[in-house]
Amino acid sequence: MSLSPDSLPPALGKIVQRFQRASDPKRRYEQLIWYAQKLPEFAQANKVPENKVPGCVSQVYVTATLNDRKVIFAGDSDSQLTKGLLALLIEGLNGLTPKEIIQLNPEFIQATGLNVSLTPSRANGFYNIFRTMQKKALECDAKAQ
């Protein structure tokens, strides 16, 4: 594993370390549920097709806005576990610049160990959420130019 939590943005590095310490899949799930519960309320008005994450079994929505050249994400999902994955990414990526988000390697997902705990469709959904967030960061960047 070439990726160390130190090579990640600080918030994301902390999350990766937290999941690395939870070697038991049940603990990882409990952490995901905890993240899901921490996620702020998402406005119903934002649950529109352009905010929907493609390729997810669950309904997942994510928005990105630029605040002082930093990306701020918000989102929601109808599944607690998927919402936890989304919340983990939001916490890990919020406050980064579009460029930092676009350059992130999705290998950090494997570093959490979650990919082995998740069903293939959930693991795939995790990547899709991450890719959508990168795409939205890119859109924010383009609008700011």
Side-chain angles (χ1 to χ4, degrees):
M1 186 54 141
S2 61
L3 195 74
S4 81
D6 302 337
S7 64
L8 293 168
L12 197 56
K14 272 196 199 100
I15 291 167
V16 169
Q17 283 178 319
R18 195 173 292 149
F19 278 95
Q20 284 174 338
R21 282 196 297 267
S23 52
D24 173 25
K26 187 173 179 286
R27 292 269 315 120
R28 289 192 190 124
Y29 280 135
E30 285 166 2
Q31 283 186 315
L32 282 179
I33 300 302
W34 178 77
Y35 276 108
Q37 289 164 345
K38 278 179 43 175
L39 200 62
E41 198 64 39
F42 189 68
Q44 198 61 38
N46 288 327
K47 293 183 181 182
V48 292
E50 56 268 27
N51 292 333
K52 198 169 186 299
V53 174
C56 278
V57 179
S58 324
Q59 304 287 314
V60 186
Y61 297 93
V62 68
T63 60
T65 50
L66 213 50
N67 185 352
D68 199 22
R69 291 201 288 284
K70 306 269 192 240
V71 181
I72 304 300
F73 291 102
D76 197 12
S77 174
D78 60 354
S79 150
Q80 276 300 99
L81 276 178
T82 308
K83 191 173 181 170
L85 295 170
L86 174 66
L88 175 166
L89 287 170
I90 288 174
E91 183 166 316
L93 303 179
N94 263 357
L96 297 177
T97 65
K99 190 176 167 74
E100 288 170 318
I101 294 166
I102 295 155
Q103 290 175 338
L104 256 181
N105 185 320
E107 268 182 24
F108 75 85
I109 292 172
Q110 287 167 322
T112 61
L114 281 165
N115 52 322
V116 292
S117 306
L118 298 171
T119 61
S121 69
R122 276 223 176 86
N124 191 32
F126 198 10
Y127 281 100
N128 289 338
I129 294 167
F130 176 64
R131 291 285 183 225
T132 300
M133 290 171 84
Q134 283 185 312
K135 186 173 149 272
K136 291 206 171 268
L138 197 61
E139 289 165 6
C140 279
D141 200 34
K143 282 182 205 153
Q145 300 301 325

